[in-house]
Amino acid sequence: MEPVSTDHVTALRRFNRYFTRRIGALDDHYLGQDRPLGEARLLFEIGDGASLRELRGRLGLDAGYLSRMAKTLQAQGMVRMSVHPDDNRLRRVELTPDGRTEVTEQNRRAGALAAGLLESLAPAQRTELTAALATVQRLLRLAAISVDLVDGAAPDARACLDAYAADIDARFPEGFDTSDLVRPEEVSGARGAFFVAYEEGRPVGCGALRRLRPGIGEIRHVWVHPDARRLGLARRILTALETEAAARGFVALRLDTHATLTEAQAMYRACGYREIDPYVDHVYGDFWFEKRLTP
Amino acid sequence: MEPVSTDHVTALRRFNRYFTRRIGALDDHYLGQDRPLGEARLLFEIGDGASLRELRGRLGLDAGYLSRMAKTLQAQGMVRMSVHPDDNRLRRVELTPDGRTEVTEQNRRAGALAAGLLESLAPAQRTELTAALATVQRLLRLAAISVDLVDGAAPDARACLDAYAADIDARFPEGFDTSDLVRPEEVSGARGAFFVAYEEGRPVGCGALRRLRPGIGEIRHVWVHPDARRLGLARRILTALETEAAARGFVALRLDTHATLTEAQAMYRACGYREIDPYVDHVYGDFWFEKRLTP
DNA sequence: ATATTTCTTTGACCTTAGTCAAAGGATGCC
DNA sequence: GGCATCCTTTGACTAAGGTCAAAGAAATAT
């Protein structure tokens, strides 16, 4: 990991300072008209109805505090509360028409504030701003994702593999048979490795490393959740796998990809993988790659 | 003014939402260790000493509230308070060595948080992020600046002209004589126009329009404060002047620039001005431009 | 010199935001 | 069926953040 230059740190801090001071008001504060911030946020978060439990998780509030706020909003006629149909312990909260009106109004104000801000920019500058915002957001998201080594049998690992299987089953014309997935023991402990990428606690990607033969590792099942694509996460997973492989003494890594996964092929090429002859008979392999590792 | 597309508004709001939730903590929250946010901010804002009055303005706090917070910090040995040398009504607040230590520590933590965030990005991505942050900040600053028509004799107008004169006096090899400045009455009311650009209430640029002869206006003294350069503000001032000129029925605008102001020449060319022969004898004029206005 | 304004301090008061623990009903697990 | 767990409600409490008005001292305007 390269040390972070102070210039970058300063730039980020300066931006943060400026942004929170100038724009931080945009969504939150005083858009909730005569309403305390907490209540305004709660109202907004309810959306098309939610259970108190969900809201507690999403907003990170104390149960008692939330219960009281919900009661206040109910007394004001903004929300309706009912017992959750599936579980009588849970309370379901929904917006009343009045509540919906207020949320809409809140949104309208936030939108008007944003529009007012953009108004004095020329059209080309607005486009430039939007593009730069997207870049910042993409990179901040990527920075917030951690790629962790987990046991191949861990629930998160299996959940990622299931999602991976479902994903490519839909993309491969011939479908995908889950028996082709790595077995947990192949990618655990001394035999292999499994990485899961987490964004705010949720698994959003994975990648597996297993031993193909002495000195040669194989990369399998590099997958990124649809919500986390186009961030550059696959590359990070790949880097984690390569670092792990090098640490384990592998001198080369191989992998195969399916003909339909053209982006994947491009990424592997860009990351230094070169096409080779098939190294094993594999149902879904159309392209075969290898990269020599420099320790 | 073109209407603002909802895409741009949505992008800005989404970014704002994400940013405040993920990064908003960076400078403020829980960096003030065991200290309430308000106190931490106050401590930070004191810097190399300030009067309570300044702090009140900068932080937007109630006088009573601020007074009490300052007293608390004083009791904790973080600040020292004294009567302001120039005005016995004012209180001057300074950091004690302990206070300075805490601010430094606060800074260190914020820096560490920012560095931790950047750490998982590849060096090229850090550079990309920094560039995108600069773009966002530049455009947001530009968007926050208003360009207002003011009287040519207004104090802000004169202040800008003084700054302009001092600025180019330092840049022109032959210096600059203030008698060359427009007189207030030339750029006021029906005879001409004067625009001042304001950023957060402070004048940061100006531009003047006067009548050269029937149907022909002259642009003079387009100036941008050093702190507000490279934002694209000069163009905005120019646009404001052109719009005003068109509204006043001018069919063409002329101006001259000094040989040393190469950026200005480039800007005028890019904005549709074409070089012409000198239209009047003018000491500091090396290049002469004209633009036909389309009403 | 007098009146007005400015700046700070103090007392009284309020809302918001949040914590903690006890209790009661509902569910899941064995 | 019994026990542990989960979810919500309620009461009691606290700190933070802030408002308002009165009052006194100092400066400025007239």
Side-chain angles (χ1 to χ4, degrees):
Chain A
M1 238 359 108
E2 295 79 3
V4 179
S5 136
T6 51
D7 286 354
H8 294 312
V9 171
T10 310
L12 178 55
R13 289 196 60 203
R14 186 182 26 240
F15 177 84
N16 181 43
R17 196 94 53 78
Y18 181 78
F19 191 85
T20 46
R21 190 168 51 80
R22 277 263 303 119
I23 325 282
L26 214 68
D27 265 322
D28 272 349
H29 253 315
Y30 71 82
L31 292 173
Q33 357 208 48
D34 294 327
R35 195 175 288 295
L37 188 54
E39 274 176 33
R41 270 210 284 252
L42 175 54
L43 210 51
F44 189 85
E45 200 67 31
I46 290 169
D48 292 323
S51 67
L52 283 182
R53 183 167 177 277
E54 277 177 279
L55 294 168
R56 193 147 49 85
R58 287 216 292 265
L59 294 165
L61 297 174
D62 173 81
Y65 185 31
L66 176 61
S67 172
R68 242 179 290 259
M69 272 207 292
K71 213 168 77 174
T72 309
L73 288 174
Q74 191 182 23
Q76 293 173 351
M78 295 290 133
V79 305
R80 197 184 303 117
M81 289 178 71
S82 54
V83 172
H84 200 282
D86 301 343
D87 184 338
N88 286 337
R89 290 171 303 181
L90 273 66
R91 288 288 170 285
R92 182 168 175 73
V93 195
E94 282 167 307
L95 293 175
T96 61
D98 276 7
R100 213 170 284 279
T101 305
E102 186 167 324
V103 169
T104 310
E105 172 63 12
Q106 203 174 314
N107 262 315
R108 201 195 54 74
R109 288 185 188 214
L113 220 65
L117 204 131
L118 293 168
E119 206 162 47
S120 52
L121 292 179
Q125 291 172 325
R126 293 176 200 162
T127 306
E128 194 187 354
L129 177 60
T130 300
L133 289 174
T135 301
V136 171
Q137 200 169 346
R138 175 172 61 81
L139 290 169
L140 288 179
R141 275 189 69 188
L142 182 59
I145 295 176
S146 68
V147 176
D148 302 343
L149 184 65
V150 305
D151 190 274
D156 287 342
R158 301 324 290 182
C160 280
L161 286 181
D162 290 347
Y164 164 81
D167 205 355
I168 61 176
D169 183 53
R171 293 179 74 171
F172 290 1
E174 69 272 34
F176 179 80
D177 180 5
T178 53
S179 67
D180 187 57
L181 293 176
V182 293
R183 275 162 291 118
E185 62 275 17
E186 287 180 286
V187 291
S188 300
R191 296 189 56 192
F194 199 94
F195 284 91
V196 173
Y198 291 95
E199 181 176 32
E200 303 184 24
R202 297 161 50 103
V204 292
C206 68
L209 169 70
R210 72 170 172 190
R211 213 191 72 145
L212 198 61
R213 70 173 88 138
I216 313 263
E218 186 185 31
I219 284 176
R220 302 212 59 199
H221 310 324
V222 172
W223 172 79
V224 172
H225 191 284
D227 292 347
R229 289 191 187 152
R230 314 211 55 74
L231 298 177
L233 180 53
R235 271 172 200 252
R236 266 193 64 202
I237 294 173
L238 193 58
T239 306
L241 289 165
E242 290 171 359
T243 308
E244 182 69 21
R248 286 165 181 254
F250 288 114
V251 296
L253 283 176
R254 293 182 180 166
L255 58 91
D256 63 275
T257 70
H258 192 272
T260 57
L261 304 175
T262 51
E263 332 84 80
Q265 288 154 39
M267 180 191 73
Y268 290 124
R269 279 182 220 279
C271 288
Y273 286 77
R274 264 178 299 180
E275 203 167 342
I276 54 167
D277 289 332
Y279 54 83
V280 69
D281 185 36
H282 192 184
V283 224
Y284 303 107
D286 296 314
F287 294 92
W288 307 74
F289 291 95
E290 183 180 83
K291 180 182 188 174
R292 304 246 125 216
L293 298 178
T294 46
Chain B
M1 242 353 114
E2 295 77 3
V4 178
S5 134
T6 51
D7 286 353
H8 294 313
V9 170
T10 310
L12 179 54
R13 289 195 60 202
R14 187 182 26 239
F15 177 83
N16 181 43
R17 195 94 53 80
Y18 181 78
F19 192 85
T20 46
R21 189 167 53 80
R22 276 264 304 119
I23 326 283
L26 214 68
D27 267 322
D28 274 348
H29 252 315
Y30 70 83
L31 292 172
Q33 1 210 49
D34 293 328
R35 193 175 289 294
L37 187 54
E39 276 176 34
R41 270 209 284 250
L42 175 54
L43 210 52
F44 190 85
E45 201 67 31
I46 291 168
D48 291 323
S51 67
L52 283 183
R53 183 167 176 276
E54 278 177 278
L55 293 168
R56 193 147 47 84
R58 287 217 290 264
L59 294 165
L61 297 175
D62 173 81
Y65 186 31
L66 176 61
S67 172
R68 242 178 290 257
M69 272 206 293
K71 213 168 77 176
T72 309
L73 288 174
Q74 191 181 22
Q76 294 172 350
M78 296 289 133
V79 305
R80 197 185 303 116
M81 289 179 72
S82 54
V83 172
H84 200 281
D86 301 342
D87 185 337
N88 286 336
R89 290 172 302 181
L90 272 67
R91 289 285 170 288
R92 182 167 175 74
V93 196
E94 282 167 307
L95 293 175
T96 61
D98 275 7
R100 213 170 285 280
T101 305
E102 185 167 324
V103 169
T104 310
E105 172 63 13
Q106 203 173 314
N107 261 315
R108 201 195 53 74
R109 287 186 190 214
L113 219 63
L117 204 132
L118 293 167
E119 205 162 48
S120 52
L121 292 179
Q125 291 172 325
R126 293 175 200 163
T127 306
E128 192 187 357
L129 177 61
T130 299
L133 289 173
T135 302
V136 171
Q137 200 168 345
R138 174 171 61 80
L139 291 169
L140 289 179
R141 274 189 69 189
L142 182 60
I145 295 175
S146 67
V147 176
D148 300 344
L149 184 65
V150 304
D151 190 273
D156 287 342
R158 302 323 292 182
C160 279
L161 284 182
D162 290 346
Y164 163 81
D167 204 356
I168 61 176
D169 184 53
R171 292 180 74 172
F172 290 0
E174 70 272 33
F176 178 79
D177 181 5
T178 53
S179 68
D180 187 57
L181 292 177
V182 293
R183 277 162 289 119
E185 61 275 18
E186 289 181 284
V187 291
S188 298
R191 296 188 57 189
F194 199 94
F195 284 91
V196 172
Y198 290 94
E199 182 176 31
E200 302 184 25
R202 299 161 49 105
V204 292
C206 68
L209 169 71
R210 73 170 171 191
R211 214 191 71 145
L212 197 61
R213 72 172 86 136
I216 313 263
E218 186 184 32
I219 284 174
R220 302 212 60 199
H221 309 325
V222 171
W223 173 78
V224 172
H225 191 285
D227 292 347
R229 289 190 188 151
R230 313 211 56 75
L231 298 177
L233 179 53
R235 272 172 199 252
R236 266 193 65 200
I237 294 173
L238 194 58
T239 306
L241 289 165
E242 289 172 0
T243 307
E244 182 69 21
R248 284 163 183 258
F250 289 113
V251 296
L253 284 175
R254 292 183 181 168
L255 58 91
D256 63 275
T257 71
H258 192 272
T260 58
L261 305 175
T262 51
E263 333 84 81
Q265 289 153 39
M267 180 191 73
Y268 290 123
R269 279 182 220 279
C271 288
Y273 287 77
R274 265 179 296 180
E275 204 167 343
I276 55 168
D277 290 332
Y279 53 83
V280 70
D281 184 36
H282 191 183
V283 225
Y284 303 108
D286 295 315
F287 295 92
W288 306 73
F289 290 95
E290 183 180 83
K291 180 181 187 173
R292 304 246 126 216
L293 297 178
T294 45

